[in-house]
Amino acid sequence: MSTLEAPLLAGQPGIQRFPSPALDLFIKKHFLTTEECQGLIERIDARRRPSTLADDLGYEAFRTSETCDLESGDPFIDAINAKLSAFAGLDEAHGEPLQGQRYAVGQEFKAHTDYFEPGGLDYETYCGRSGNRSWTMMVYLNAPQAGGATRFTRIGKTIQPETGKLLAWSNRLPDGALNPATLHHGMKVRTGTKYIITRWYRELVWTG
Ligand SMILES: O=C(O)CCC(=O)C(=O)O
Ligand SMILES: [Fe+2]
């Protein structure tokens, strides 16, 4: 079954919906507790490695953060994944492994979309089994002292990191087409360190 809907998001208490027909974007403050954020930061610090990019376009310094796979099997990680899926009403089986990111001063993730470009070099490798990405759920684990906002460049919306704050958006338009208005930029950290988790959901059951 294909999953493009996150049927529970709009009805969650305290959820803010960005008012734009261009993009389905939701924000929920304090989605994760300080303790949950701290547990995730500790795991990211223990296991981080330089980030890689699918469809390596040869741009220097496109994504300069460090990445960490937060593997399922750790009951703490499984509970975070279950919390994300339940909040959105997304099928847990469609979720990719949870990813952590750490940005030091000067690091960023330049403007990109989270879906894979059909026709791109790696499209079959990344989407052949599980389909393309449907939803992105991202949580800020802390607030760096300066910088590190997420800017949706096409719609002119900038979101500031706050501990535990969730951002969730559909990478699709209502008819299921990929939505270029989801273009977003993880901006440079100016002071401090930024930690986030990201979970991407697929059209189909995630099988790698
Ligand atoms: O760090 C950010 O604000 C954005 C991260 C992001 O876009 C991603 O992990 O796909
Ligand atoms: Fe992204």
Side-chain angles (χ1 to χ4, degrees):
M1 194 194 71
S2 161
T3 301
L4 295 176
E5 304 292 322
L8 301 184
L9 264 182
Q12 291 292 351
I15 196 112
Q16 296 168 257
R17 184 177 200 156
F18 180 65
S20 167
L23 174 60
D24 233 357
L25 171 68
F26 296 87
I27 299 175
K28 173 72 171 79
K29 291 189 179 190
H30 308 297
F31 172 74
L32 292 182
T33 65
T34 307
E35 292 72 34
E36 287 169 328
C37 291
Q38 201 47 47
L40 287 162
I41 287 174
E42 281 164 20
R43 283 165 176 78
I44 294 168
D45 272 339
R47 320 245 298 274
R48 60 198 160 91
R49 58 176 160 77
S51 300
T52 53
L53 267 182
D55 277 347
D56 188 343
L57 301 171
Y59 296 131
E60 282 298 314
F62 194 83
R63 186 190 195 189
T64 51
S65 58
E66 288 180 297
T67 298
C68 150
D69 295 318
L70 298 162
E71 274 140 30
S72 58
D74 172 347
F76 176 79
I77 299 299
D78 292 345
I80 301 285
N81 280 330
K83 188 169 177 174
L84 287 165
S85 298
F87 190 77
L90 283 162
D91 188 338
E92 175 56 24
H94 290 230
E96 294 183 29
L98 189 64
Q99 260 205 23
Q101 298 286 332
R102 178 188 188 274
Y103 300 80
V105 170
Q107 293 184 336
E108 67 180 321
F109 191 173
K110 287 189 179 153
H112 66 279
T113 55
D114 288 350
Y115 56 78
F116 298 92
E117 288 293 344
L121 280 180
D122 297 327
Y123 187 73
E124 199 44 40
T125 310
Y126 289 103
C127 299
R129 287 173 300 279
S130 308
N132 214 328
R133 287 173 171 161
S134 54
W135 282 81
T136 299
M137 297 187 79
M138 182 189 136
V139 184
Y140 301 102
L141 304 178
N142 75 330
Q145 286 96 312
T150 308
R151 180 158 179 80
F152 287 81
T153 50
R154 295 272 169 88
I155 59 170
K157 169 86 174 163
T158 302
I159 294 138
Q160 296 298 333
E162 286 176 53
T163 304
K165 187 201 243 180
L166 169 77
L167 290 189
W169 68 88
S170 172
N171 293 293
R172 306 308 184 95
L173 289 160
D175 68 358
L178 301 168
N179 186 356
T182 57
L183 193 76
H184 55 283
H185 178 185
M187 295 167 77
K188 274 185 188 166
V189 171
R190 302 286 173 194
T191 315
T193 309
K194 172 185 169 189
Y195 291 86
I196 61 166
I197 51 165
T198 310
R199 187 135 197 246
W200 294 287
Y201 289 80
R202 295 297 184 117
E203 287 166 87
L204 306 172
V205 169
W206 168 256
T207 52

